[in-house]
Amino acid sequence: MGSRTGWLPVALLLLAASVYSTQAAAAAGGGASVDAEHAVQQHSERISGSAGDVLEDNPVGRLKVFIYDLPRKYNKKMVTKDPRCLNHMFAAEIFMHRFLLSSAVRTLNPKEADWFYTPVYTTCDLTPAGLPLPFKSPRVMRSAIQYISNKWPYWNRTDGADHFFVVPHDFAACFHYQEEKAIERGILPLLRRATLVQTFGQENHVCLKEGSIIIPPFAPPQKMQAHLISPDTPRSIFVYFRGLFYDTGNDPEGGYYARGARASLWENFKSNPLFDISTDHPATYYEDMQRAVFCLCPLGWAPWSPRLVEAVVFGCIPVIIADDIVLPFADAIPWEEIGVFVEEKDVPKLDTILTSMPIDDILRKQRLLANPSMKQAMLFPQPAQPRDAFHQILNGLARKLPHPEGTYLQPGDKRLNWTAGPVGDLKPW
Amino acid sequence: MMKSLLPHSGLRRSSVVTGGRSSAGAGADGAAADVSGAGPRAPASSTFWFLLHALCCLISLFLGFRFSRLLFFMLFSTTALYHSATTSSSAAVLRATTTTTTTTTTTTTTTNTFTLSFNAANPPPSSLSNRTALETAAAIKAGTSGNPQSHVVVGRHGIRIRPWPHPDPVEVMRAHRIMERVQEEQRRWYGVKEPRQVLVVTPTYSRAFQALHLTGLLHTLRNVPYPLTWIVVEAGGTTNATAAMLSRSGLTFVHIPFPDRMPTDWADRHATENRMRLHALRVIRERKMDGVVVFADDSNVHTMELFDEVQKVQWMGAVSVGILAHTGAAEQPRLSEEDKQNMPLPVQGPACNSSGHLAGWHTFNSLPFAGKAATVVGEAAPVLPRGLEWAGFVLNSRMLWKDAEGKPDWAKDLDAVGENGEEIENPLTLLNDPSSVEPLGNCGKKVLLWWLRVEARADSKFPKGWVIDPPLENVIPAKRTPWPETTTELPSELLDAKQDQEDRRLSRTNKSSRPRSTTKRKGDVQEHAN
C-alpha cells in the first residue's frame, strides 16, 4: 500500500526534474543549435567533474539581488562625463550594473534579497591619457556607503556582509596603482565585511580578501569577434608576446617592473626564433594570437592583464608567469589544466619547459580551450549571453549562499570603524 | 595590469607624486621621507632630517643613484645585512645583477641588496602595513623554505639571465615537431573532413619546353596535401624521358600513350588535347578511379588553394582561370585607347548573380587580338584560348562511371560524347544541363590558376632527357634553334629574326653554314629532339 502511493510522488518529482533540466538546458544552451554543439564536441573537451560542470550552472532562481538606487553622480554622470570608461579594461563595473538592471535575478523588494549591489563607479576618473586615477576612489566609495547606510537599513543590519561591490582597479579595494602604497593602505576599512568582485588576485596579499570573487578584466567582445580568422589557419608561431619588458618611464633601472620577470624574458629570449616577442603594437595582434601555440601572460605592475582573456578567446595556451596569482573564477575553471604556470624564477628555463611538455598535454589543453563555454565565461558581451562572465559572477555569489553565521548583527553591535584609514579618505565627496 | 602599455604613464606618476620624479634624486626623496616619517618626530630633529634629506638629494643628483638608502642602511641596519646575505633569494639577486647586461654599476648592486633588507629593518609605520613588513622580513629570513606566508616580495628584484641565453637546437627541433603535430590536429578538426583523392589529367607531348612545364607542374603536385594520382597522356607515345621524370617525382602516376602525334598548328593542337583528355577520362572510368578530376595543362600554373577548393565539388564545378595571352614578341599588339578602356578582365570563369547561383560565364575577349594571334606553335605572337578552357572545370569522377549512385541525370554518359568524332570543345558538352555547374572559389571571385601557353618552335632541338652526352665528331651549327643565333652583328640579327622565323616555317634541309664568329664549347651538341 505504501509503495503504491509512494511511487506516484517520486514519479512526479522525476518528471518535474526532467522538465526543469530540459528547460535549464534549453535556457543554458542559448543560441547554439544541436548540430553546432555536436560538431564542437568532436574536437573540444568539456571540463568534467565538479569544477567544470559549475561553468554551466544557471544562477536564475538561486539568488536575488537588490540594486540600490544611487544618485546619478555615482554612476551615470561619470560615464556621461567621460565615455572612455566604457572601453577600458575596468569597464566591468559599468556593464555589471547594466546587466543587473535587466537581469532575472534582480528583485525590487529588498526584503527578499540575498545580495545587495551598490552601483558606484570608482574607476571612472580618467587622466587625459585615459588612465584611471584612484585618489578620489576611497572617498567616492565611502560617500556611497554613507548614502546607502543612511537611506536604507540593510547596511547597518549586517555592516555590509551581504553586500557586494565591483572594484576592478589594479589592486582592487586598496585603491592605488603602486603596489607598495596599495599594501600600505590595505583594503578600505568600510569594505571589510562586504564581498568584493575584483580583477586582482594574489595569494596572501593584503588586497585580496577571503571570499572575494576574481573576475577577468574587461576585453571588448565585438572587437575580438571582428578579428577572428579561420580556425584551420595553421598555428605557426610557437610563443607570442607583445608588450613592454622595461618600463623606462617609471622604473628606469629595471628590476622593479614585473619583479624583473619581463626583463628576464627579453634578455633570455630576444634572439630565440621560437619566441615572437617584441614591444610592437601590430594591427594584427589578435590575428597573430590565433596563429600562436603559446601566449605569454607575464605580470606587469599588477599580476592580472587582459592577455589572459585574449589568449583564452583565441585558443592560444596561456603561459602565466606570476607567482601566487589567483585567476578568475578559480573555483569554476581548472586553470591548471588549461594553462601553463611558470614561476618567475624559472623564466630563464622557459624554452626548456615549453618544449619538453608532452604533446598530448598540449593537445588536450587546446581541446579544452576550444570549448566555447570556456571562452564565454571570460567575456562580458552586451547583451548578456548564457554562461558569460556576468553569470559566472552570479554563480559565485550564489555559491556563497546561505549567508554564514555572523552575517546578521545584533542591534547595536557595530563591527566597522568608520574613522579608520588615512585622513584624506574621510573628506566628503 | 598593463599600466605601462598605456602611454604617458610616466607623466601620470610625475603629475601625481609631489615633487616630481624627473631625477633619480627623487627616489631618495621618497626613501628619506619614509624613514623620516618612521622615526620619532621632534621639532628640532625634523629640521635636521630635512637638511640631511636635502643633502642626500644633492648627492644623489650628482652620483645618479639613491644615496640616501645607502647611508641609512649603513647607519641603521648592520645585522640585517647578514640575514640578507645568507638567504638564497638575495644571493640570487647579487649573482643575477652582476651578470645583467644593463648599464648598472656595482654600486647599484649593493643598493639592491640593501633595499631588501632595508624593508625588513624599517619599523612598521602603521598597523596595516605591519603585516607586509613582517611578511617581507619573514620572506627574506625564511627564503624558500616553504613558509606559508607569501614569498613574493615587493621591491626591486634581480633580472635573472642564464649564462648562455641562446636557443638550443634540440629544443628548437622539438618545438617544430610540436607545431607540426598541432597543425595536424588543426587540419583534422577544421580542415576538410574526408579529403578526396585528386586525379590530375595532363595532356603532354615531347618538345623543348616539355621538361620545363612538367617540372613546374610536378613540384606543384608534390605540395598538394591530399592523395593524388597524376594521369599523364602523352601524344606520340610514351617517352623514356617523361617516364623517368614521372618515376623520379615520387607521385602516383598513370602514364598513358596516345597514338597520334601532336600537330604544329594551335587549332589542331587544341583539338588533339581535347581528345587526349577524353581518353584519360575513359581510362578513369575503366579503372573506376574515385576522386576529383582536375585538368592541369602542363604549362599552366596552379595555386594550392585550388586543390583545397576542389574538395568541395559535388558533381561538376567551375573555377576562375586567369588567361595570360603571352605575346612573346618585342612588339605588343597595338591596342587603341578605346580598346584598352573596354578590355575586360583576362579571366575565364563562372559568373554569379546576387544570390550566389550560376548566372553565366566570363570568357576571354579575343577581339583585340584578332588577326595577330599565333597559328603555329612556337610563333612569336599571342596564343589565345578558344572558348572555354578545360582547365577551369573540375569533375567528380563518379560522374564518369557507368553506374554510380546519386549520379545526376543532367550528366551525359561518357560514351555518348565524342563517339561521332565530334570535337569536345569544353566539358560543358558532357552535361545535358549546363546550368547545374557549381561555381567554386567564392563564386568565381578568386582566381585559382592561370592559363598560359609558352612554346618553342615545333622542331626546335634540345638534348634528349636534357642530358649532354659526349659530343659528336662533326660539330654542325644549329640551324633550327628557337633563339636567334648570336653573331657580332647583333642589331641586324634582331631585325632579321622575325624575318628568319617567317622563312623557316617548315622543316628544311641544311643550309650552308653561316660563319660562326663565336667559339663554341666542345660539349655542344645538336641532336634532334626525340
Side-chain angles (χ1 to χ4, degrees), chain A residues 131 135 170 177-178 183 204 233 235 244 247 250 254-255 259 262 264 268 301-302 304 307 348 351-352, chain B residues 1-4 6 12-13 16 101 128 132 148 152 156-157 160 162 165-166 171 183 185-186 189:
Chain A
L131 304 173
F135 302 110
D170 297 7
Y177 50 80
Q178 250 189 338
I183 292 174
N204 299 324
T233 314
R235 288 189 188 262
L244 289 180
D247 186 353
N250 299 318
R259 296 197 275 267
R262 285 194 182 202
S264 174
N268 280 302
W301 286 109
W304 58 270
R307 275 189 187 83
D351 54 351
T352 315
Chain B
M1 176 197 98
M2 299 306 101
K3 92 166 73 181
S4 322
L6 307 165
R12 168 175 86 156
R13 288 193 165 238
V16 158
T101 54
L128 278 170
T132 22
V152 179
R156 186 166 302 282
H157 292 249
R160 294 183 170 86
R162 66 189 193 201
H166 294 295
E171 280 169 16
Q183 289 174 15
E185 280 297 308
Q186 271 185 282
W189 296 346

Side-chain angles (χ1 to χ4, degrees), chain B residues 128 130-131 186 244 301 325 327 512:
Chain B
L128 278 170
N130 194 9
R131 201 166 121 196
Q186 271 185 282
V301 175
T327 61
S512 58

Side-chain angles (χ1 to χ4, degrees), chain B residues 19-231:
Chain B
R21 281 195 69 196
S22 49
S23 67
D29 191 8
D34 280 346
V35 176
S36 54
R41 277 186 193 255
S45 68
S46 67
T47 48
F48 164 70
W49 285 117
F50 177 73
L51 287 172
L52 188 61
H53 157 66
L55 184 65
C56 287
C57 276
L58 281 172
I59 297 176
S60 303
L61 267 174
F62 285 116
L63 291 179
F65 62 89
R66 294 175 205 177
F67 177 71
S68 58
R69 295 205 172 199
L70 177 63
L71 190 68
F72 287 115
F73 165 76
M74 292 214 293
L75 286 176
F76 287 118
S77 22
T78 46
T79 53
L81 173 61
Y82 296 116
H83 283 290
S84 61
T86 51
T87 53
S88 54
S89 55
S90 16
V93 167
L94 259 176
R95 214 187 314 121
T97 44
T98 46
T99 55
T100 187
T101 54
T102 56
T103 54
T104 52
T105 60
T106 46
T107 41
T108 321
T109 311
T110 49
T111 317
N112 289 349
T113 342
F114 299 161
T115 311
L116 285 176
S117 52
F118 181 66
N119 280 340
N122 187 16
S126 75
S127 58
L128 278 170
S129 65
N130 194 9
R131 201 166 121 196
T132 22
L134 281 179
E135 271 168 28
T136 51
I140 289 169
K141 286 178 183 135
T144 52
S145 61
N147 193 314
Q149 291 269 15
S150 165
H151 65 270
V152 179
V153 177
V154 182
R156 186 166 302 282
H157 292 249
I159 302 169
R160 294 183 170 86
I161 306 176
R162 66 189 193 201
W164 181 247
H166 294 295
D168 174 28
V170 174
E171 280 169 16
V172 173
M173 275 318 298
R174 258 190 261 147
H176 280 291
R177 260 179 242 126
I178 291 176
M179 284 201 281
E180 263 172 40
R181 190 73 181 76
V182 164
Q183 289 174 15
E184 196 190 301
E185 280 297 308
Q186 271 185 282
R187 264 199 298 273
R188 204 179 299 171
W189 296 346
Y190 303 110
V192 177
K193 281 304 156 205
E194 292 119 18
R196 295 190 279 179
Q197 194 187 163
V198 180
L199 304 166
V200 182
V201 171
T202 305
T204 184
Y205 70 105
S206 182
R207 76 273 195 202
F209 276 48
Q210 183 200 29
L212 174 89
H213 294 315
L214 278 185
T215 306
L217 185 56
L218 195 152
H219 292 155
T220 305
L221 296 181
R222 274 174 69 103
N223 280 331
V224 174
Y226 304 106
L228 188 143
T229 301
W230 193 9
I231 300 166

Side-chain angles (χ1 to χ4, degrees), chain A residues 232-249:
Chain A
D232 61 353
T233 314
R235 288 189 188 262
S236 47
I237 302 174
F238 193 61
V239 176
Y240 187 78
F241 175 75
R242 287 289 180 273
L244 289 180
F245 301 99
Y246 292 94
D247 186 353
T248 44

